[in-house]
Amino acid sequence: MDIVALANALGQPLTQWEGRLVQDLVPRATATPNTYSGIYGLDRFPFHTDLAHWRLPPRYLLLRCVIGYADVSTLLLDGQAIFDAVTLDILTRAIFKPRRPRIGGITLLRLCEPTDDGYCFRWDDVFLKPASRIGDIASQRIREQFPKCQPLSIALAQASDTLLIDNWRMLHARSPIPAERVDRKIQRIYLENLR
């Protein structure tokens, strides 16, 4: 089963994101400056929510290995640990703004928003900046939590290894890419919901 068939079996894919349903994630030493690859190259990516600067980030991301390695992993951090340490009261009042305008304007965003089935938690230290005093406090407290947390490390090592991430709850990061692993290739599809 390919990733498109799997995504359709699991839920409702976000179609035509940047003109494509499937994105190929390949490590790059250099890339467009306003991307993670452009900023971090082959180094470790920081914990983040994919598309945290959107009004409502995609709910799930589906990752599927095409070429993988056991020593290159996706790191996962449960947002519940941050909720517990920083407090939901602070996170739901913390206002952030995207680093740059999107669709002609700046939309103010809460780090944590109530939803029909819980909360949508977002974090991206690169593309979101505090826009309120409580945002500054939340940002500082979240950064203080990262060294105290023990992330889950999952390597998509074999072709077709698959990982489904709740993007509203789990922060994710990528481990560094050794020079001999630059042919790693992971496919990604965003899902709006699960069946």
Side-chain angles (χ1 to χ4, degrees):
M1 180 180 288
D2 70 14
I3 189 171
V4 174
L6 180 59
N8 283 312
L10 289 173
Q12 182 179 0
L14 262 177
T15 57
Q16 301 303 316
W17 182 75
E18 291 193 343
R20 296 170 294 148
L21 176 61
V22 180
Q23 299 96 48
D24 291 328
L25 307 179
V26 178
R28 293 187 175 92
T30 60
T32 306
N34 65 342
T35 63
Y36 269 54
S37 291
I39 297 168
Y40 298 102
L42 302 179
D43 291 338
R44 183 183 183 277
F45 284 3
F47 283 104
H48 65 280
T49 301
D50 266 17
L51 302 172
H53 61 291
W54 282 19
R55 175 66 191 87
L56 195 62
R59 178 65 194 266
Y60 299 97
L61 55 141
L62 182 65
L63 303 177
R64 192 159 174 93
C65 178
V66 177
I67 301 171
Y69 296 97
D71 58 351
V72 179
S73 57
T74 298
L75 306 171
L76 297 173
L77 191 59
D78 191 342
Q80 186 63 50
I82 294 172
F83 286 15
D84 294 344
V86 180
T87 76
L88 199 53
D89 176 60
I90 289 175
L91 293 172
T92 54
R93 291 189 295 131
I95 304 296
F96 277 62
K97 64 182 179 182
R99 187 179 64 173
R100 297 188 319 183
R102 181 170 184 267
I103 314 176
I106 296 282
T107 302
L108 297 179
L109 305 164
R110 293 185 186 279
L111 273 191
C112 190
E113 296 182 52
T115 64
D116 291 342
D117 61 347
Y119 291 93
C120 171
F121 173 56
R122 72 179 85 227
W123 174 257
D124 190 319
D125 200 25
V126 175
F127 293 102
L128 291 180
K129 297 300 173 191
S132 65
R133 175 72 184 123
I134 198 78
D136 288 328
I137 292 169
S139 178
Q140 179 181 345
R141 291 190 180 177
I142 290 171
R143 289 174 204 223
E144 290 170 356
Q145 285 308 305
F146 287 142
K148 301 174 185 175
C149 294
Q150 186 63 42
L152 182 63
S153 177
I154 297 175
L156 300 178
Q158 303 294 321
S160 299
D161 281 355
T162 302
L163 180 61
L164 178 66
I165 299 173
D166 182 342
N167 195 42
W168 289 4
R169 175 169 175 160
M170 306 296 289
L171 301 181
H172 65 282
R174 187 200 71 193
S175 70
I177 304 287
E180 65 275 18
R181 305 291 195 233
V182 294
D183 62 339
R184 179 184 190 249
K185 182 176 178 181
I186 303 293
Q187 292 181 318
R188 177 181 62 199
I189 289 182
Y190 293 114
L191 300 174
E192 293 182 43
N193 54 48
L194 297 180
R195 297 187 192 285

